Amino acid sequence: MSSRSTLGVARLGTIDYAAALALQERMLAARQQDRIADVLLLLEHPHVYTLGRGASEAFLLNRPAEVPLYRVSRGGEVTYHGPGQLVGYPIIKLEGAARDVHAYLRRLEDTMIGALGEVRIDAGRRERLTGVWIGERKIASIGVCIRRWVTMHGFALNVTTDLGYFERIVPCGIDGCVMTSIAAQGRADVTVGVFAHLVERNFAAVFGYAATKLLDRADLDVLIDAGRDNDRAEDCKAFS
């Protein structure tokens, strides 16, 4: 696809799920008003389970009482986030020919497939299923929300994740789904930080950005707060 403008990338480290959700909401409103350009948030969460907006709680099998649960506006069923998992939240505006939800989901998959290839892991898709797979094991999940063609939520890829937490749920509502990770594929040397760099590079290439620019949390706050009195809440369309 043709070259786009610079992509802002914020590597936020470990951030509480509720705080990340609030940040996304603020950024989405700012992007709708063109107060900020496209930004990719890369981070980890403490242990947490999330349900998509129409997800069934029947897929929660044995959730540990100490692990919080959130129902949010993304598409998809239940999933787990936790240490050792790279989470990506693109806050980008889909314009022109890019206003195609299925194409957007496929590009997210391409981003992760390309990054996994750089650490010599052969990953791909499975027919009629969203996400990234290694054979019949799932390594990455996707659930997004789009408001006025600006995206939020995104993807989660297991790097060194404790996969035992997935055994407490039916991942993504798929019976028999078994999760895997980069470490479980024999690459325990790959850290979340290293893999975040590969995802950043592949995301920029797949989505056609000419360059990337690193942003810290202070940069984000300055950009978001400019003109924030015009922010307003809206419903979003959820996809996975």
Side-chain angles (χ1 to χ4, degrees):
M1 57 187 296
S2 60
S3 179
R4 306 175 73 183
S5 59
T6 300
L7 172 71
V9 178
R11 302 174 189 166
L12 300 179
T14 300
I15 181 170
D16 179 78
Y17 189 83
L21 185 60
L23 176 61
Q24 287 185 78
E25 292 282 359
R26 293 171 61 213
M27 292 185 67
L28 182 140
R31 186 67 189 95
Q32 287 175 334
Q33 298 165 21
D34 292 322
R35 290 191 277 111
I36 63 173
D38 290 350
V39 178
L40 173 63
L41 305 178
L42 295 174
L43 52 100
E44 293 178 70
H45 288 306
H47 301 294
V48 64
Y49 290 104
T50 71
L51 294 163
R53 65 188 302 176
S56 171
E57 293 190 16
F59 295 123
L60 289 166
L61 302 179
N62 186 23
R63 177 174 67 92
E66 70 276 11
V67 178
L69 173 69
Y70 290 86
R71 183 177 291 276
V72 295
S73 58
R74 66 166 174 80
E77 292 288 343
V78 63
T79 196
Y80 161 77
H81 299 305
Q85 182 188 72
L86 177 66
V87 177
Y89 294 137
I91 311 295
I92 68 174
K93 182 176 286 189
L94 303 179
E95 300 181 286
R99 288 188 172 182
D100 181 326
V101 175
H102 294 290
Y104 174 62
L105 297 175
R106 302 295 81 77
R107 288 186 180 122
L108 293 180
E109 291 166 346
D110 285 341
T111 294
M112 292 182 283
I113 291 169
L116 287 164
E118 293 198 48
V119 294
R120 301 189 300 278
I121 292 177
D122 185 15
R125 300 184 176 90
R126 288 183 66 185
E127 189 175 358
R128 294 188 297 276
L129 294 173
T130 299
V132 177
W133 302 73
I134 299 172
E136 295 187 352
R137 293 177 180 256
K138 193 172 191 180
I139 194 168
S141 301
I142 296 173
V144 306
C145 164
I146 298 176
R147 298 179 186 169
R148 288 167 43 197
W149 294 107
V150 176
T151 67
M152 65 178 285
H153 296 292
F155 58 87
L157 188 144
N158 301 320
V159 182
T160 59
T161 317
D162 181 347
L163 301 175
Y165 283 88
F166 287 104
E167 296 173 4
R168 304 296 192 97
I169 61 174
V170 178
C172 306
I174 302 172
D175 287 336
C177 180
V178 177
M179 304 298 291
T180 190
S181 67
I182 290 176
Q185 294 299 310
R187 291 303 311 270
D189 57 307
V190 178
T191 66
V192 172
V194 166
F195 198 71
H197 176 71
L198 300 179
V199 166
E200 171 191 331
R201 185 167 65 201
N202 278 270
F203 187 96
V206 168
F207 283 85
Y209 292 94
T212 60
K213 177 182 179 181
L214 284 179
L215 304 170
D216 61 24
R217 181 58 189 269
D219 294 328
L220 294 180
D221 288 337
V222 169
L223 293 170
I224 294 166
D225 288 344
R228 64 179 178 177
D229 290 343
N230 294 323
D231 291 355
R232 65 187 183 88
E234 300 177 21
D235 289 334
C236 74
K237 295 181 180 179
F239 303 93
S240 63

